[in-house]
Amino acid sequence: MRRTEALKIITRALKQPVEDVPAADLIYGRSLAHIESPSPETPQPWAIQVDVLALRIAAQLPLSDDTEQQSPLAQAEDAKRRRNIDDEIAALTGAHDQLTSAPWYPARPGDLVHIHYEQAGDLPPFGETYIVGDAGDNMMSLQLLAHTLPETVPGMDAEATAEMAGIFAVEILDCPLYQAWFEAGPQRLTIVRDGRPVHIGGAG
């Protein structure tokens, strides 16, 4: 099932979980801590928009078909070729919302970003590791630390091969992950913060 379709199904179910009740745009709740671990402190109520919660649930679903292995940009370009403006917009806005609603967003200086690339023709699978840096004035950089791209690839000269490494490095940007998130795709990114993975691409 495509994640966009799953998102629609989840949203409908959250808006109206049972028949003959008004559809809801907000979900209200209360922490279960007061049930499992009684405490003198009363847990604070919480509320969340239905579409935001649905997006977070859908983002955790495993990737299950070839379409979902495409990056958001590739999905948008595919939809554009099919002249389907709705799918094109959904691919881009969905990826934007998935990134900016992630609990670890925004990136922080010191974050490590690993990008995995599958085999493509004669080009074997390889990976790149970047580090987020502080560029000043609330801006950040993305610097290439290492890569496993072979020095020689059949059918490509050494210069062309070398230029493929570090294509997502940026000197100064407010969101240094944006380009990699859209062009490589979140399913190919693994992000580590303070020694712990906060986003594992393709998990599940």
Side-chain angles (χ1 to χ4, degrees):
M1 179 185 296
R2 294 185 60 183
R3 184 163 291 166
T4 51
E5 293 302 316
L7 180 58
K8 293 177 183 177
I9 294 171
I10 294 169
T11 302
R12 285 198 298 268
L14 292 175
K15 279 181 173 290
Q16 197 169 30
V18 294
E19 297 180 0
D20 302 324
V21 298
D25 293 323
L26 283 174
I27 291 178
Y28 294 90
R30 194 178 274 273
S31 170
L32 295 180
H34 67 292
I35 298 176
E36 299 173 354
S37 307
S39 170
E41 297 182 2
T42 303
Q44 295 297 312
W46 54 266
I48 188 170
Q49 287 181 248
V50 166
D51 54 350
V52 173
L53 180 58
L55 181 63
R56 292 199 175 193
I57 295 173
Q60 301 303 314
L61 295 176
L63 302 173
S64 57
D65 60 27
D66 293 338
T67 302
E68 289 297 344
Q69 292 296 331
Q70 291 182 313
S71 68
L73 184 60
Q75 291 182 44
E77 290 176 345
D78 180 62
K80 187 174 183 179
R81 285 191 294 270
R82 292 185 283 105
R83 298 184 179 181
N84 189 326
I85 187 66
D86 290 337
D87 280 0
E88 181 181 356
I89 293 174
L92 298 176
T93 57
H96 170 84
D97 292 344
Q98 184 184 3
L99 172 61
T100 56
S101 67
W104 47 263
Y105 182 86
R108 299 177 188 172
D111 286 355
L112 294 175
V113 182
H114 181 79
I115 305 176
H116 168 76
Y117 302 92
E118 298 88 357
Q119 181 169 344
D122 292 329
L123 186 65
F126 69 98
E128 297 181 314
T129 301
Y130 297 82
I131 187 170
V132 177
D134 186 350
D137 295 327
N138 295 319
M139 305 293 277
M140 288 171 282
S141 64
L142 193 63
Q143 306 163 27
L144 179 67
L145 288 179
H147 68 83
T148 59
L149 181 68
E151 293 184 3
T152 58
V153 176
M156 296 180 62
D157 58 47
E159 183 178 352
T161 303
E163 289 178 352
M164 294 181 63
I167 58 174
F168 294 116
V170 294
E171 293 185 2
I172 181 169
L173 205 63
D174 58 344
C175 179
L177 304 183
Y178 211 81
Q179 185 179 2
W181 188 270
F182 275 79
E183 294 186 19
Q187 76 276 13
R188 296 185 177 92
L189 272 62
T190 298
I191 301 170
V192 177
R193 174 173 295 164
D194 299 331
R196 295 182 178 276
V198 294
H199 172 82
I200 303 176

